[in-house]
Amino acid sequence: MKFVTYQLNKEVRLGVITSSNDAILDLRSIAPQEVIFSTMQSLIESGQDGLEKARAILSNEGAYQSIPLSSIQLLAPIQPKRILGTMFMNPDNHLTTASENIITLIGQQTTQDVSILSEQLHKMIDRIKNSKEALYELRDHTYISHTGETIHAPKGTKGLDYELELGCVIGKTGKDIAIADAADYIFGYTIFNDWTLRDLQIKNVLSGKGWADNAKDFDQSVTLGPCIVTKDEIDINACAMKAYVNKLLWSEGNTNEHVQSFEEILVSISKGRTIHAGEVWSSGTVGTGCGIELGKQLQHGDLVELEIQGIGTIANTVHISE
C-alpha cells in the first residue's frame, strides 16, 4: 500500500492511494471511529492492526468516493521522530566523487594546498568502508518540506544542490534487535531529497567543521514524499532512481548499489540504543545523484524532480536569492 499525508481545507489528512494510482481514499472519513487513521504516525504505531484495517478498505475501494491526486496538495508523508543519515549506498560512488569535486573547487577558488584535504578524504572513506559498525549521523528532524514546495536557499548562499536518496521509515520501537527480527521493524520507504549547500560545505571543510554541519541543516533541507510505500510492495534491491532538472535527466542510478541492507544497519544502530517508530533513515546518495558529482549547479527557478521506481516522484522549484 501507498500512504499519503495531504491537506484538505487547511486540515491535515491521511489517505491511501487507490489501485489506479491516480486517486486516494481518505481513511478517517471512511472510518471516523478509527483514531489510528488520524496521522501517519498513529497508523505506523498501530502496527499490523492498522495495516489490516487499511487493506480491508482498499480491497473494497469501489464502495467509497475517491479523491483525485491532482486535486490535493500532498504534504510530507510523515513528520519524523528522528532523522538518521546512513551508509546504505556504496561510498565509492557518490561520496568519493562528490568529495573529490569539492576539493577540486577548493583548489580553484583558494590557495589552499588540497593535497592534505585529499589525503584526509581518502582516509575518511577508508574508515567508512572498513567500519564493522553501521555509521550514521543525526540530522535535525524539524526541517521537513514536501513535494510542490519552493525550496528557498538561505540568504547569502548560492550553492544549493539536490541529493537523490531513499528513505527508510521505521515501524516499531525497539532496542538490541536481532537480524532475524529486523525486517519487522521497517514500515516502508519514501523518497528523500537531502538538499545541500555546496558553498557552505566548502567553507566548513576549510574551517575544519567537516562535510555537513549547517550545509545540510536549514529550513526545508529534507524533502520527503510523495508517499510511504509499505515494505511488502517494493523490492528495494532493484529500484531505478532518477533526477531531472527542468525535465532533463541529470542523475540515474539504482538501489542495487547498496553495500549493506537496512536490516543490517538497523541491527547495528540498535545495539544499546532505542530506535523509535516514525524515524526516517536516509540511504546516502546514489552514484551520480547530485549536481556536484556531475559538475553542474542549480540555478534560481530550476525545477528538480526526483523519482524512485515503485514510490513515485517529488518535484520542487528552487529559489536562490541574488
Side-chain angles (χ1 to χ4, degrees):
M1 290 178 286
K2 293 179 178 179
F3 294 102
V4 300
T5 298
Y6 73 102
Q7 186 169 298
L8 180 66
N9 298 326
K10 297 185 178 181
E11 184 179 2
V12 177
R13 310 283 295 186
L14 179 68
V16 62
I17 297 179
T18 62
S19 58
S20 64
N21 222 38
D22 61 3
I24 66 163
L25 300 177
D26 184 287
L27 292 171
R28 195 69 193 272
S29 65
I30 292 171
Q33 76 283 1
E34 296 289 359
V35 178
I36 59 175
F37 292 151
S38 299
T39 65
M40 189 72 75
Q41 183 68 34
S42 58
L43 173 66
I44 292 171
E45 291 178 352
S46 71
Q48 197 59 36
D49 178 57
L51 289 175
E52 289 176 358
K53 288 176 178 176
R55 190 172 287 111
I57 291 172
L58 192 58
S59 67
N60 194 31
E61 63 180 69
Y64 309 110
Q65 183 174 357
S66 64
I67 305 171
L69 272 170
S70 60
S71 69
I72 61 173
Q73 173 59 64
L74 292 176
L75 303 178
I78 189 170
Q79 296 296 314
K81 285 279 189 180
R82 183 167 63 172
I83 293 178
L84 268 61
T86 76
M87 284 292 174
F88 173 81
M89 290 295 184
N90 188 344
D92 276 337
N93 296 339
H94 158 75
L95 187 60
T96 299
T97 306
S99 301
E100 287 177 345
N101 286 356
I102 287 172
I103 289 173
T104 298
L105 286 176
I106 290 173
Q108 294 171 349
Q109 297 174 9
T110 71
T111 58
Q112 177 88 16
D113 179 2
V114 295
S115 62
I116 297 174
L117 289 176
S118 182
E119 182 180 353
Q120 292 173 344
L121 161 68
H122 290 290
K123 286 182 178 179
M124 176 186 72
I125 293 173
D126 285 341
R127 286 197 300 270
I128 290 171
K129 290 167 61 177
N130 296 323
S131 175
K132 295 181 180 179
E133 299 293 328
L135 302 177
Y136 69 93
E137 62 179 4
L138 284 171
R139 300 286 304 282
D140 194 309
H141 66 287
T142 63
Y143 297 146
I144 305 300
S145 49
H146 58 76
T147 185
E149 195 170 347
T150 297
I151 305 301
H152 293 259
K155 290 182 179 179
T157 63
K158 304 291 184 183
L160 184 63
D161 197 4
Y162 68 89
E163 291 194 356
L164 172 56
E165 306 191 16
L166 176 70
C168 176
V169 183
I170 303 302
K172 287 171 59 177
T173 297
K175 179 180 177 180
D176 296 323
I177 298 160
I179 190 63
D181 302 322
D184 294 337
Y185 285 80
I186 296 174
F187 180 80
Y189 299 92
T190 191
I191 301 175
F192 190 112
N193 191 344
D194 188 14
W195 297 99
T196 303
L197 299 167
R198 300 300 178 194
D199 46 351
L200 281 188
Q201 197 168 39
I202 289 172
K203 290 180 181 178
N204 290 343
V205 172
L206 289 172
S207 65
K209 285 185 176 181
W211 295 86
D213 198 63
N214 59 347
K216 286 182 176 287
D217 275 339
F218 54 93
D219 284 353
Q220 304 178 295
S221 58
V222 171
T223 304
L224 300 175
C227 64
I228 297 174
V229 58
T230 51
K231 63 187 176 189
D232 59 304
E233 290 205 6
I234 187 170
D235 176 10
I236 64 155
N237 295 307
C239 295
M241 304 174 71
K242 297 179 181 181
Y244 298 86
V245 177
N246 300 326
K247 302 298 182 180
L248 298 176
L249 180 65
W250 275 29
S251 304
E252 189 169 17
N254 196 291
T255 55
N256 63 16
E257 295 179 23
H258 69 83
V259 291
Q260 54 189 333
S261 68
F262 274 115
E263 288 84 357
E264 291 169 323
I265 294 170
L266 193 149
V267 168
S268 181
I269 290 177
S270 71
K271 289 178 181 178
R273 307 179 188 93
T274 300
I275 65 167
H276 300 273
E279 294 185 10
V280 177
W281 297 5
S282 67
S283 64
T285 308
V286 69
T288 76
C290 60
I292 191 71
E293 287 186 70
L294 307 168
K296 297 180 178 181
Q297 184 170 334
L298 296 177
Q299 304 298 320
H300 174 74
D302 281 349
L303 172 66
V304 178
E305 297 172 283
L306 304 189
E307 173 188 299
I308 298 182
Q309 182 182 5
I311 301 177
T313 303
I314 55 175
N316 299 92
T317 300
V318 301
H319 183 279
I320 301 173
S321 300
E322 293 297 327

